[in-house]
Amino acid sequence: MQEKDIQGLAETISSQRKKLGLSASEVARQAGVAKGTITRLELGQIASPRMDNLRAIADVLQLPLTDILAESSLLRGSDLPTLSPYLRTKFKGMPDSAVREIEEHFRDVAARHGMDINNGPAPGEDE
């Protein structure tokens, strides 16, 4: 990870932990990781964190793992699903007609802002 990505991860973890009123020790205990792991992540001292640790920490901090990965640029925009698969996965019971309605609305909003939702960001634009 690049320095800005490491700092993004550090800030995401630290701010959510504080928001929840948890100590680094408590997050570590609940996540089943060493307290030093939490401290070092928050200080930006771990350049390549283990995915299993991030998943456990995300669970304790009540954050989707994908949010942590995206905030730290470990997950690029091109790694994310397009709107249809996202909606169908996130909202399994949503009727197809509702998915189409949301897609059409999103397409209209994006077009008003000069964006084409059929083309993802160019390399480097999603960072």
Coordinates of all heavy atoms in Angstrom, one line a residue, residues 48-112:
S48 N 1.0 -3.9 4.9 CA 0.2 -5.0 4.3 C -0.5 -5.8 5.3 O -0.1 -6.9 5.7 CB 1.2 -5.9 3.5 OG 1.9 -5.3 2.5
P49 N -1.7 -5.2 5.8 CA -2.4 -5.9 6.8 C -3.0 -7.2 6.3 O -3.4 -7.3 5.1 CB -3.5 -4.9 7.2 CG -3.6 -4.0 6.0 CD -2.3 -4.0 5.3
R50 N -3.2 -8.2 7.2 CA -3.8 -9.5 6.9 C -5.3 -9.3 6.7 O -5.9 -8.6 7.5 CB -3.5 -10.5 8.0 CG -2.0 -10.9 8.0 CD -1.7 -11.9 9.1 NE -2.8 -12.8 9.4 CZ -2.8 -13.5 10.5 NH1 -1.8 -13.5 11.3 NH2 -3.8 -14.3 10.7
M51 N -5.8 -9.9 5.7 CA -7.2 -9.8 5.4 C -8.1 -10.3 6.5 O -9.1 -9.8 6.8 CB -7.6 -10.5 4.0 CG -8.9 -10.2 3.5 SD -9.2 -8.4 3.2 CE -8.0 -8.1 2.0
D52 N -7.7 -11.4 7.1 CA -8.5 -12.0 8.2 C -8.5 -11.1 9.4 O -9.6 -10.9 10.0 CB -8.0 -13.4 8.6 CG -6.5 -13.5 9.0 OD1 -5.7 -12.6 8.6 OD2 -6.2 -14.3 9.9
N53 N -7.4 -10.3 9.6 CA -7.4 -9.4 10.7 C -8.4 -8.2 10.4 O -9.1 -7.8 11.2 CB -6.0 -8.8 11.0 CG -5.2 -9.8 11.7 OD1 -5.6 -10.8 12.3 ND2 -3.9 -9.6 11.7
L54 N -8.3 -7.7 9.1 CA -9.2 -6.6 8.7 C -10.6 -7.0 8.8 O -11.5 -6.2 9.3 CB -8.8 -6.1 7.3 CG -7.5 -5.4 7.2 CD1 -7.3 -5.0 5.7 CD2 -7.4 -4.2 8.1
R55 N -10.9 -8.2 8.4 CA -12.3 -8.7 8.5 C -12.8 -8.7 9.9 O -13.9 -8.2 10.2 CB -12.4 -10.1 7.8 CG -13.9 -10.6 7.8 CD -14.0 -11.9 7.1 NE -14.0 -11.6 5.6 CZ -13.1 -11.9 4.8 NH1 -12.0 -12.5 5.2 NH2 -13.2 -11.6 3.5
A56 N -12.0 -9.2 10.8 CA -12.4 -9.3 12.2 C -12.5 -7.9 12.8 O -13.5 -7.7 13.6 CB -11.4 -10.1 13.0
I57 N -11.6 -7.0 12.5 CA -11.7 -5.7 13.0 C -12.9 -5.0 12.5 O -13.6 -4.3 13.2 CB -10.4 -4.9 12.7 CG1 -9.2 -5.5 13.5 CG2 -10.5 -3.4 13.0 CD1 -7.8 -5.1 13.0
A58 N -13.2 -5.1 11.2 CA -14.4 -4.5 10.6 C -15.7 -5.0 11.3 O -16.6 -4.2 11.6 CB -14.5 -4.9 9.1
D59 N -15.7 -6.3 11.6 CA -16.9 -6.8 12.3 C -17.1 -6.1 13.7 O -18.2 -5.7 14.0 CB -16.8 -8.3 12.5 CG -17.0 -9.1 11.2 OD1 -17.5 -8.5 10.2 OD2 -16.7 -10.3 11.2
V60 N -16.0 -6.0 14.4 CA -16.1 -5.4 15.7 C -16.5 -3.9 15.6 O -17.2 -3.4 16.4 CB -14.7 -5.5 16.5 CG1 -14.7 -4.6 17.8 CG2 -14.4 -6.9 16.8
L61 N -15.9 -3.2 14.6 CA -16.2 -1.8 14.4 C -17.5 -1.5 13.7 O -17.9 -0.4 13.4 CB -15.0 -1.1 13.6 CG -13.7 -1.1 14.4 CD1 -12.6 -0.5 13.5 CD2 -13.8 -0.4 15.7
Q62 N -18.3 -2.6 13.4 CA -19.6 -2.5 12.8 C -19.5 -1.8 11.4 O -20.3 -0.9 11.1 CB -20.6 -1.8 13.7 CG -20.7 -2.5 15.0 CD -21.5 -1.7 16.0 OE1 -22.1 -0.7 15.7 NE2 -21.4 -2.1 17.3
L63 N -18.4 -2.1 10.7 CA -18.2 -1.5 9.3 C -18.2 -2.7 8.3 O -17.6 -3.7 8.6 CB -16.9 -0.8 9.3 CG -16.7 0.5 10.0 CD1 -15.3 0.9 10.0 CD2 -17.6 1.6 9.4
P64 N -18.8 -2.5 7.2 CA -18.6 -3.5 6.1 C -17.1 -3.5 5.7 O -16.4 -2.5 5.6 CB -19.4 -2.9 4.9 CG -20.4 -2.0 5.5 CD -19.7 -1.4 6.7
L65 N -16.6 -4.7 5.5 CA -15.2 -4.9 5.2 C -14.9 -4.1 3.9 O -13.8 -3.5 3.8 CB -14.8 -6.4 4.9 CG -13.4 -6.7 4.5 CD1 -12.4 -6.2 5.4 CD2 -13.3 -8.2 4.2
T66 N -15.8 -4.1 3.0 CA -15.6 -3.4 1.7 C -15.4 -1.9 2.0 O -14.7 -1.2 1.2 CB -16.8 -3.6 0.7 OG1 -18.0 -3.3 1.4 CG2 -16.8 -5.0 0.2
D67 N -16.0 -1.3 3.0 CA -15.8 0.1 3.3 C -14.4 0.4 3.7 O -13.8 1.3 3.3 CB -16.8 0.6 4.4 CG -18.2 0.8 3.9 OD1 -18.5 0.5 2.7 OD2 -19.0 1.2 4.7
I68 N -13.9 -0.5 4.6 CA -12.5 -0.4 5.0 C -11.5 -0.5 3.9 O -10.6 0.2 3.7 CB -12.2 -1.4 6.1 CG1 -12.9 -1.0 7.4 CG2 -10.7 -1.6 6.4 CD1 -12.6 -1.9 8.6
L69 N -11.8 -1.5 3.0 CA -10.9 -1.7 1.9 C -11.0 -0.6 0.9 O -9.9 -0.1 0.4 CB -11.3 -3.0 1.2 CG -11.1 -4.3 2.0 CD1 -11.6 -5.5 1.2 CD2 -9.7 -4.5 2.4
A70 N -12.2 0.0 0.7 CA -12.3 1.1 -0.3 C -11.6 2.4 0.3 O -10.9 3.1 -0.4 CB -13.8 1.4 -0.6
E71 N -11.9 2.6 1.6 CA -11.3 3.8 2.2 C -9.8 3.8 2.2 O -9.1 4.8 2.1 CB -11.7 3.9 3.7 CG -13.2 4.3 3.8 CD -13.5 5.8 3.5 OE1 -12.6 6.6 3.5 OE2 -14.6 6.1 3.2
S72 N -9.2 2.6 2.2 CA -7.7 2.5 2.2 C -7.2 2.2 0.9 O -6.0 2.0 0.7 CB -7.3 1.4 3.2 OG -7.8 0.1 2.7
S73 N -8.0 2.3 -0.2 CA -7.6 2.0 -1.6 C -7.1 0.6 -1.8 O -6.4 0.3 -2.7 CB -6.6 3.0 -2.1 OG -7.1 4.3 -2.1
L74 N -7.4 -0.3 -0.8 CA -7.1 -1.7 -1.0 C -8.1 -2.3 -2.0 O -7.9 -3.3 -2.6 CB -7.2 -2.5 0.3 CG -6.0 -2.2 1.2 CD1 -6.3 -2.8 2.6 CD2 -4.7 -2.8 0.7
L75 N -9.2 -1.6 -2.2 CA -10.3 -2.0 -3.1 C -10.5 -0.9 -4.1 O -10.8 0.2 -3.6 CB -11.6 -2.3 -2.3 CG -12.8 -2.8 -3.1 CD1 -12.5 -4.2 -3.7 CD2 -14.0 -2.9 -2.2
R76 N -10.2 -1.1 -5.3 CA -10.4 -0.1 -6.3 C -11.8 0.0 -6.8 O -12.5 -1.0 -6.7 CB -9.4 -0.3 -7.5 CG -8.0 -0.4 -7.1 CD -7.1 -0.8 -8.3 NE -7.7 -2.0 -8.9 CZ -7.1 -3.2 -8.9 NH1 -5.9 -3.3 -8.4 NH2 -7.7 -4.2 -9.5
G77 N -12.2 1.1 -7.4 CA -13.5 1.2 -8.0 C -13.8 0.1 -9.0 O -14.9 -0.4 -9.1
S78 N -12.8 -0.2 -9.7 CA -12.9 -1.3 -10.8 C -13.1 -2.7 -10.2 O -13.6 -3.6 -10.9 CB -11.7 -1.3 -11.7 OG -10.5 -1.6 -11.0
D79 N -12.9 -2.8 -8.9 CA -13.1 -4.1 -8.2 C -14.6 -4.2 -7.7 O -15.0 -5.3 -7.3 CB -12.2 -4.2 -7.0 CG -10.7 -4.3 -7.3 OD1 -10.4 -4.8 -8.4 OD2 -9.9 -3.8 -6.5
L80 N -15.3 -3.1 -7.7 CA -16.7 -3.1 -7.2 C -17.6 -3.6 -8.3 O -17.4 -3.4 -9.5 CB -17.1 -1.7 -6.8 CG -16.3 -1.2 -5.6 CD1 -16.6 0.3 -5.4 CD2 -16.5 -2.0 -4.3
P81 N -18.7 -4.2 -7.9 CA -19.7 -4.6 -8.9 C -20.5 -3.4 -9.5 O -20.5 -2.4 -8.9 CB -20.7 -5.5 -8.1 CG -20.6 -5.0 -6.7 CD -19.2 -4.5 -6.5
T82 N -21.0 -3.6 -10.6 CA -21.9 -2.6 -11.2 C -23.2 -2.6 -10.4 O -23.4 -3.4 -9.5 CB -22.2 -2.9 -12.7 OG1 -22.8 -4.2 -12.8 CG2 -20.9 -2.8 -13.5
L83 N -24.0 -1.6 -10.7 CA -25.2 -1.3 -9.9 C -26.2 -2.5 -9.8 O -26.6 -2.9 -8.7 CB -25.9 -0.1 -10.4 CG -27.0 0.5 -9.5 CD1 -26.4 0.8 -8.1 CD2 -27.5 1.8 -10.1
S84 N -26.5 -3.1 -10.9 CA -27.4 -4.3 -10.9 C -27.0 -5.4 -10.0 O -27.8 -5.8 -9.2 CB -27.7 -4.8 -12.4 OG -28.4 -3.9 -13.1
P85 N -25.8 -6.0 -10.2 CA -25.4 -7.1 -9.3 C -25.4 -6.6 -7.8 O -25.7 -7.4 -6.9 CB -24.1 -7.5 -9.8 CG -23.9 -6.9 -11.1 CD -24.8 -5.8 -11.2
Y86 N -24.9 -5.4 -7.6 CA -24.9 -4.9 -6.2 C -26.3 -4.9 -5.6 O -26.5 -5.4 -4.5 CB -24.3 -3.5 -6.2 CG -24.5 -2.8 -4.9 CD1 -23.6 -3.1 -3.8 CD2 -25.5 -1.9 -4.6 CE1 -23.8 -2.6 -2.5 CE2 -25.7 -1.4 -3.3 CZ -24.8 -1.7 -2.3 OH -25.0 -1.1 -1.1
L87 N -27.3 -4.3 -6.3 CA -28.6 -4.2 -5.8 C -29.2 -5.6 -5.6 O -29.9 -5.8 -4.6 CB -29.5 -3.4 -6.7 CG -29.2 -1.9 -6.8 CD1 -30.0 -1.2 -7.9 CD2 -29.4 -1.2 -5.5
R88 N -29.0 -6.5 -6.5 CA -29.6 -7.8 -6.4 C -29.0 -8.6 -5.2 O -29.6 -9.4 -4.6 CB -29.4 -8.6 -7.7 CG -30.3 -8.1 -8.8 CD -30.1 -8.9 -10.1 NE -31.0 -8.7 -11.1 CZ -31.3 -7.6 -11.8 NH1 -30.7 -6.5 -11.5 NH2 -32.2 -7.5 -12.7
T89 N -27.7 -8.3 -5.0 CA -27.0 -9.0 -3.8 C -27.4 -8.4 -2.5 O -27.7 -9.1 -1.5 CB -25.5 -9.0 -4.0 OG1 -25.2 -9.6 -5.3 CG2 -24.8 -9.7 -2.9
K90 N -27.3 -7.1 -2.5 CA -27.6 -6.3 -1.2 C -29.1 -6.4 -0.8 O -29.4 -6.5 0.4 CB -27.2 -4.9 -1.4 CG -27.3 -4.0 -0.2 CD -26.3 -4.2 0.8 CE -26.4 -3.2 2.0 NZ -25.3 -3.4 2.9
F91 N -30.0 -6.3 -1.8 CA -31.4 -6.3 -1.5 C -32.1 -7.5 -2.3 O -32.8 -7.3 -3.3 CB -32.0 -5.0 -2.0 CG -31.3 -3.8 -1.4 CD1 -30.4 -3.0 -2.1 CD2 -31.5 -3.5 0.0 CE1 -29.7 -2.0 -1.5 CE2 -30.9 -2.4 0.5 CZ -30.0 -1.6 -0.2
K92 N -31.8 -8.7 -1.8 CA -32.2 -9.9 -2.4 C -33.7 -10.0 -2.8 O -34.1 -10.5 -3.8 CB -31.8 -11.1 -1.6 CG -30.3 -11.3 -1.5 CD -30.0 -12.7 -1.0 CE -28.5 -12.8 -0.8 NZ -27.7 -12.8 -2.0
G93 N -34.6 -9.4 -2.0 CA -36.0 -9.5 -2.3 C -36.5 -8.4 -3.2 O -37.7 -8.3 -3.5
M94 N -35.6 -7.5 -3.7 CA -36.1 -6.4 -4.5 C -36.6 -6.9 -5.9 O -35.8 -7.6 -6.5 CB -35.0 -5.4 -4.7 CG -35.4 -4.1 -5.4 SD -34.1 -2.9 -5.6 CE -34.0 -2.3 -3.9
P95 N -37.8 -6.5 -6.3 CA -38.2 -6.9 -7.6 C -37.4 -6.3 -8.7 O -36.8 -5.3 -8.6 CB -39.6 -6.3 -7.7 CG -40.0 -5.8 -6.3 CD -38.7 -5.7 -5.6
D96 N -37.3 -7.1 -9.8 CA -36.5 -6.6 -11.0 C -37.0 -5.3 -11.5 O -36.1 -4.4 -11.9 CB -36.6 -7.6 -12.2 CG -35.9 -8.9 -11.9 OD1 -35.0 -8.9 -11.0 OD2 -36.1 -9.9 -12.6
S97 N -38.2 -5.0 -11.4 CA -38.7 -3.7 -11.8 C -38.2 -2.5 -11.0 O -37.9 -1.5 -11.5 CB -40.3 -3.6 -11.8 OG -40.8 -3.9 -10.5
A98 N -38.0 -2.8 -9.7 CA -37.4 -1.8 -8.8 C -35.9 -1.6 -9.1 O -35.5 -0.4 -9.1 CB -37.6 -2.2 -7.4
V99 N -35.2 -2.6 -9.4 CA -33.8 -2.5 -9.8 C -33.7 -1.7 -11.1 O -32.9 -0.8 -11.1 CB -33.2 -3.9 -10.0 CG1 -31.8 -3.8 -10.6 CG2 -33.1 -4.7 -8.7
R100 N -34.5 -2.0 -12.1 CA -34.5 -1.2 -13.3 C -34.8 0.3 -13.0 O -34.2 1.2 -13.6 CB -35.5 -1.8 -14.3 CG -35.0 -3.1 -14.9 CD -35.8 -3.5 -16.1 NE -37.2 -3.8 -15.8 CZ -37.7 -4.9 -15.3 NH1 -36.9 -5.9 -15.1 NH2 -39.0 -5.0 -15.0
E101 N -35.8 0.5 -12.2 CA -36.1 1.9 -11.8 C -35.0 2.7 -11.2 O -34.7 3.8 -11.5 CB -37.3 1.9 -10.9 CG -37.9 3.3 -10.5 CD -39.1 3.2 -9.6 OE1 -39.7 2.1 -9.4 OE2 -39.5 4.2 -9.1
I102 N -34.3 2.0 -10.3 CA -33.1 2.6 -9.6 C -32.0 2.9 -10.6 O -31.4 3.9 -10.6 CB -32.6 1.7 -8.4 CG1 -33.7 1.8 -7.3 CG2 -31.3 2.2 -7.9 CD1 -33.4 0.7 -6.2
E103 N -31.8 1.9 -11.5 CA -30.7 2.0 -12.5 C -31.0 3.2 -13.4 O -30.1 4.0 -13.7 CB -30.6 0.8 -13.3 CG -30.0 -0.4 -12.6 CD -30.0 -1.6 -13.4 OE1 -31.0 -1.9 -14.1 OE2 -28.9 -2.3 -13.4
E104 N -32.3 3.4 -13.8 CA -32.7 4.5 -14.7 C -32.5 5.8 -14.0 O -32.0 6.8 -14.6 CB -34.1 4.3 -15.2 CG -34.5 5.3 -16.3 CD -33.7 5.2 -17.5 OE1 -33.2 4.1 -17.9 OE2 -33.4 6.3 -18.1
H105 N -32.9 5.9 -12.8 CA -32.7 7.1 -12.0 C -31.2 7.5 -11.9 O -30.8 8.6 -12.1 CB -33.4 7.0 -10.6 CG -33.3 8.2 -9.8 ND1 -34.0 9.4 -10.1 CD2 -32.5 8.5 -8.7 CE1 -33.6 10.3 -9.2 NE2 -32.8 9.8 -8.4
F106 N -30.5 6.5 -11.5 CA -29.0 6.7 -11.4 C -28.4 7.1 -12.7 O -27.6 8.0 -12.7 CB -28.3 5.4 -10.8 CG -26.9 5.6 -10.6 CD1 -26.5 6.4 -9.5 CD2 -25.9 5.0 -11.4 CE1 -25.1 6.6 -9.3 CE2 -24.6 5.2 -11.1 CZ -24.2 6.0 -10.1
R107 N -28.8 6.5 -13.8 CA -28.3 6.9 -15.1 C -28.6 8.3 -15.4 O -27.7 9.1 -15.9 CB -28.9 5.9 -16.2 CG -28.2 6.0 -17.5 CD -28.8 5.0 -18.5 NE -29.6 3.9 -18.1 CZ -29.1 2.8 -17.6 NH1 -27.8 2.6 -17.5 NH2 -30.0 1.8 -17.2
D108 N -29.8 8.8 -15.1 CA -30.2 10.2 -15.3 C -29.4 11.1 -14.4 O -28.9 12.1 -14.9 CB -31.7 10.4 -15.0 CG -32.6 9.7 -16.0 OD1 -32.1 9.3 -17.1 OD2 -33.8 9.5 -15.6
V109 N -29.2 10.8 -13.2 CA -28.4 11.7 -12.3 C -27.0 11.7 -12.7 O -26.4 12.8 -12.8 CB -28.5 11.2 -10.8 CG1 -27.6 11.9 -9.9 CG2 -30.0 11.3 -10.3
A110 N -26.4 10.6 -13.1 CA -25.0 10.5 -13.5 C -24.9 11.4 -14.8 O -23.9 12.1 -15.0 CB -24.6 9.1 -13.8
A111 N -25.8 11.3 -15.7 CA -25.7 12.0 -17.0 C -25.8 13.5 -16.8 O -25.0 14.3 -17.4 CB -26.9 11.6 -17.9
R112 N -26.6 13.9 -15.8 CA -26.6 15.4 -15.5 C -25.3 15.9 -15.0 O -25.0 17.1 -15.0 CB -27.7 15.6 -14.4 CG -29.1 15.6 -15.0 CD -30.1 16.3 -14.1 NE -30.1 15.9 -12.7 CZ -30.8 14.9 -12.1 NH1 -31.7 14.2 -12.9 NH2 -30.7 14.6 -10.9

